[in-house]
Amino acid sequence: YDIGVMSGAAIYIQKDLKISDVQIEILLGILNVYSLFGSAAAGRTSDWIGRRYTIVLAGAIFFAGALLMGFATNYVFLMVGRFVAGIGVGYALMIAPVYTAEVSPASSRGFLTSFPEVFVNVGILLGYVSNYAFSKLPTNLGWRLMLGIGAVPCVFLALGVLAMPESPRWLVMQGRLGDATRVLNKTSDSKEESLLRLADIKEAAGIPEHCTDDVVQVPKRSKGQDVWKELLLHPTPAVRHILICAVGIHFFQQASGIDAIVLYSPRVFEKAGITNSDHKLLCTVAVGLAKTIFILVATFLLDRVGRRPLLLASVAGMILSLIGLGLGLTIIDQNHGRIMWAAVLCITMVLLYVAFFSIGMGPITWVYSSEIFPLKLRAQGCSLGVAMNRVVSGVLSMTFISLYEAITIGGAFFLYAAIATVAWVFFFIMLPETHGRTLEDMEVLFGKYHRWRE
């Protein structure tokens, strides 16, 4: 919601607080940098208090951030609110896919693990709708309501999560086999699958198979230091390959330009020749709708088609639509006037781009990175992926206006198309198919790099 609502709210914040384009760039992009602190802390927190209470904590932090932004009286106050909200965003982005992957049975893990991305899109759409709904209010009140109302979903999140079970993998890591068995019985397709999942998790956690007590002793790791050693300093070939894939997919998801469209779509439409504020916001709502509809399509395809074919098709579509968008914007830019067919081309390409992104690159990034890490490295490994995601998103969103002023707006989208082409090659060479594998069975797929097909 915060990402979506900021695209329109920025117009009114700039009018009301009389701030520059550079300050707007920083305001929009800084959330991603702040969220790094949240995602970095979330790995340790989720291993300490559990996946479930970490989600509650994320909701509470974001609630405070949304209220601070809603009551902001000046730019500095607003930035403080962005900092608090960013911490909450970092926590939620890291923990939601991890929790879902650990609770889900293998048969529907792709469908369920794509849910965080589905509701990210629903939130962005609601943000765009909120922009349009509150745009008629006085400028100083409208943007504050747009931002402040983001506190409402946090309450439902924190209360809803309390009714959900804890991750069975986290319970086993704490030695709570009885509790883990009860959760697995509820979340598996059959009793046999539940027993198999428990045996796999016990093996990954280093608990002997014959241990069947409700509570057993698990050797504690030394403050997570050995995890970072295994992950970064002395990884096995399989873990190194997993890390490259997870960090790489997060890098390319953001570097291929999605936040330029999501955060700056009113500006992109203005450059395409749409000058009426209402029309700009309505086009932006259409972007949110396309994004949401196609993410729902993706959830049904993930466990049928598989991760790899969907991802490659998605990125190919993104490359073509970015080239089309760059072409349309360049033609309009060079003719210094409104060209109807080029404006229609730009709008169509933006909608196609978000549709292709949502059908593969959007959800698969979170599904894939949350399912490939071994159990004891999962929380920290995922937090590294999220950190890369947020850094690149922050850099992209804080430089977009400066970038298009330097190389033209068409040139900026040609650059994103080139990055997406590199992404397609990387995914084709490096990423094995993970569809249908149990989480404990992932490591056998990795370690051979481009030779994994053999």
Side-chain angles (χ1 to χ4, degrees):
Y1 176 83
D2 189 272
I3 291 164
V5 82
M6 258 306 183
S7 69
I11 300 168
Y12 304 102
I13 291 169
Q14 193 166 17
K15 276 184 197 170
D16 188 32
L17 302 182
K18 310 286 189 294
I19 55 178
S20 67
D21 275 354
V22 172
Q23 287 175 302
I24 281 292
E25 273 185 324
I26 292 168
L27 182 69
L28 265 63
I30 202 74
L31 185 90
N32 299 306
V33 178
Y34 292 153
S35 70
L36 284 175
F37 299 106
S39 62
R44 178 71 62 81
T45 309
S46 67
D47 281 348
W48 178 41
I49 63 171
R51 313 316 197 205
R52 202 165 60 120
Y53 287 113
T54 304
I55 299 174
V56 176
L57 179 63
I61 296 169
F62 194 86
F63 178 82
L67 287 184
L68 284 170
M69 289 190 293
F71 287 109
T73 50
N74 55 40
Y75 186 72
V76 175
F77 195 159
L78 192 54
M79 289 294 274
V80 172
R82 295 294 276 168
F83 175 73
V84 177
I87 301 287
V89 167
Y91 263 93
L93 278 174
M94 180 262 156
I95 197 60
V98 170
Y99 174 83
T100 318
E102 293 188 345
V103 169
S104 310
S107 61
S108 54
R109 191 176 60 245
F111 173 72
L112 295 170
T113 314
S114 64
F115 267 30
E117 183 68 13
V118 169
F119 291 108
V120 163
N121 282 281
V122 171
I124 288 170
L125 176 59
L126 289 173
Y128 290 160
V129 171
S130 169
N131 285 155
Y132 187 71
F134 293 123
S135 62
K136 304 288 182 286
L137 293 172
T139 305
N140 66 333
L141 179 64
W143 68 263
R144 288 184 170 89
L145 273 175
M146 290 174 195
L147 298 179
I149 209 165
V152 175
C154 308
V155 178
F156 293 106
L157 172 70
L159 294 175
V161 170
L162 293 175
M164 285 151 55
E166 183 49 88
S167 155
R169 288 177 172 82
W170 182 80
L171 291 169
V172 170
M173 282 162 67
Q174 304 307 304
R176 293 162 57 184
L177 295 186
D179 291 337
T181 305
R182 284 186 282 278
V183 174
L184 286 167
N185 288 340
K186 284 181 185 174
T187 58
S188 299
D189 294 329
S190 64
K191 181 79 174 171
E192 292 73 23
E193 189 194 355
S194 169
L195 292 169
L196 278 172
R197 285 173 74 189
L198 181 62
D200 284 344
I201 298 167
K202 278 164 70 177
E203 187 184 341
I207 297 171
E209 201 177 334
H210 59 78
C211 282
T212 53
D213 297 344
D214 271 9
V215 180
V216 299
Q217 193 67 35
V218 180
K220 292 290 176 189
R221 295 196 298 276
S222 57
K223 297 184 180 176
Q225 286 163 353
D226 55 341
V227 171
W228 291 114
K229 278 180 191 168
E230 283 183 55
L231 203 55
L232 299 174
L233 298 179
H234 308 294
T236 62
V239 168
R240 190 183 296 115
H241 186 183
I242 286 168
L243 188 62
I244 291 168
C245 289
V247 172
I249 198 169
H250 275 287
F251 171 82
F252 285 116
Q253 187 202 43
Q254 292 300 328
S256 53
I258 186 62
D259 275 6
I261 295 290
V262 171
L263 285 170
Y264 293 101
S265 44
R267 278 179 189 260
V268 174
F269 292 131
E270 190 175 320
K271 291 285 182 184
I274 299 161
T275 49
N276 181 290
S277 285
D278 273 3
H279 292 169
K280 275 190 284 190
L281 291 176
L282 279 173
C283 285
T284 306
V285 171
V287 170
L289 262 175
K291 217 168 174 302
T292 307
I293 289 165
F294 281 92
I295 193 79
L296 291 170
V297 173
T299 60
F300 293 102
L301 294 176
L302 271 167
D303 288 317
R304 289 181 172 85
V305 177
R307 289 33 161 177
R308 203 178 132 80
L310 212 52
L311 183 63
L312 293 173
S314 161
V315 178
M318 285 164 61
I319 294 165
L320 294 174
S321 42
L322 282 168
I323 292 168
L325 178 58
L327 205 61
L329 289 167
T330 303
I331 290 165
I332 291 167
D333 210 21
Q334 288 181 348
N335 285 276
H336 306 293
R338 191 172 173 183
I339 303 167
M340 184 54 76
W341 69 266
V344 170
L345 174 69
C346 290
I347 294 165
T348 308
M349 289 300 125
V350 167
L351 295 175
L352 274 176
Y353 173 75
V354 296
F356 277 117
F357 177 87
S358 290
I359 212 159
M361 183 74 116
I364 289 171
T365 297
W366 301 100
V367 171
Y368 202 88
S369 61
S370 63
E371 68 186 2
I372 59 178
F373 282 102
L375 172 64
K376 66 177 176 177
L377 308 179
R378 186 167 300 133
Q380 284 83 352
C382 287
S383 68
L384 279 178
V386 173
M388 174 57 79
N389 191 291
R390 296 298 87 199
V391 166
V392 180
S393 177
V395 169
L396 187 131
S397 46
M398 285 197 283
T399 56
F400 179 67
I401 298 174
S402 306
L403 178 71
Y404 79 63
E405 284 173 354
I407 64 168
T408 75
I409 193 156
F413 287 107
F414 285 135
L415 176 63
Y416 298 143
I419 294 169
T421 307
V422 176
W424 193 94
V425 175
F426 174 83
F427 297 151
F428 184 80
I429 293 170
M430 295 291 285
L431 271 62
E433 179 59 74
T434 57
H435 168 56
R437 294 270 184 168
T438 66
L439 293 184
E440 284 66 38
D441 189 31
M442 288 291 177
E443 261 183 287
V444 297
L445 297 173
F446 294 88
K448 301 185 192 73
Y449 298 94
H450 64 280
R451 295 192 300 280
W452 54 261
R453 288 182 195 79
E454 296 164 22

